Amino acid sequence: MNKCTAMETKLADMLLDPEAAPAKVKTHVGECESCRRELENLRATMSAMDAWTAPEPSPYFMTRLGARMREEREAPQQSWFQRLRARYAYGPPMHARPLAAMALTVMLLVGGGAYLGVTNIEQPLPKPDANAAVVHDLQTLDSNAQVLDQLEAISDNPNDAISDDPNSDDPQTQ
């Protein structure tokens, strides 16, 4: 089968000039049934092409073609806008497909962004302050006067330290 694939290109040469074909090709075609059928199909196609005759053009074809060519030469030159409009209005629709795909992509991106709430892209988010937790704790302590008074009492008398053992009966450690 691999040899048949290599012979396909040489079959056309054998069809056009059988005497100039190499002996290997002739031997292979004589032995291989599929290559022999392919050669017969090619001969049938060529004989059908030889029998076919092209239709004669109308006797007025050249006259009409010359008249149309003269009209086009004598017609005023169109502006670039008219040529562009004619091309897009009457041309093949293939040029509009990339534009339509791009427009659809932009619409999807804009619609998705609006849906997700991404509307203020220009404004950066405020950066959180690194000391925000510390400031909040200090504000809470400042507003809680009782805790502040207790802390001042402890700091005024260092001998009144609170013991680690809450069950201690020692009055000095309480």
Side-chain angles (χ1 to χ4, degrees):
M1 194 61 167
N2 191 17
K3 199 172 192 181
C4 291
T5 307
M7 291 294 163
E8 284 180 4
T9 58
K10 300 189 186 216
L11 286 178
D13 294 337
M14 189 170 172
L15 178 68
L16 296 175
D17 191 11
E19 300 303 321
K24 279 177 153 179
V25 176
K26 291 179 185 178
T27 307
H28 178 77
V29 169
E31 294 172 357
C32 182
E33 180 65 31
S34 65
C35 289
R36 192 175 320 122
R37 263 191 315 228
E38 183 70 24
L39 185 62
E40 290 303 318
N41 287 339
L42 285 172
R43 283 185 181 143
T45 303
M46 290 301 286
S47 66
M49 292 294 289
D50 287 340
W52 182 73
T53 58
E56 290 295 322
S58 168
Y60 302 109
F61 175 76
M62 292 304 288
T63 307
R64 286 188 303 211
L65 180 65
R68 296 242 357 233
M69 294 293 285
R70 246 187 332 274
E71 287 175 7
E72 286 296 320
R73 269 186 261 137
E74 293 170 0
Q77 183 71 22
Q78 291 181 336
S79 70
W80 66 271
F81 182 72
Q82 290 172 332
R83 287 191 312 258
L84 186 67
R85 190 176 118 219
R87 179 176 177 184
Y88 284 111
Y90 305 115
M94 296 299 289
H95 63 275
R97 287 184 182 170
L99 295 174
M102 185 178 65
L104 182 62
T105 303
V106 168
M107 286 179 11
L108 284 173
L109 289 174
V110 169
Y115 177 74
L116 294 175
V118 183
T119 55
N120 288 335
I121 296 174
E122 302 87 28
Q123 297 177 356
L125 294 173
K127 293 183 180 179
D129 189 14
N131 298 327
V134 175
V135 172
H136 178 68
D137 290 344
L138 288 175
Q139 288 174 345
T140 303
L141 286 175
D142 193 35
S143 65
N144 194 346
Q146 181 184 7
V147 174
L148 188 59
D149 289 341
Q150 287 177 353
L151 287 175
E152 284 179 5
I154 291 172
S155 66
D156 288 341
N157 191 357
N159 293 334
D160 289 339
I162 300 175
S163 80
D164 292 339
D165 187 12
N167 294 328
S168 168
D169 288 332
D170 187 12
Q172 289 187 2
T173 59
Q174 288 182 353

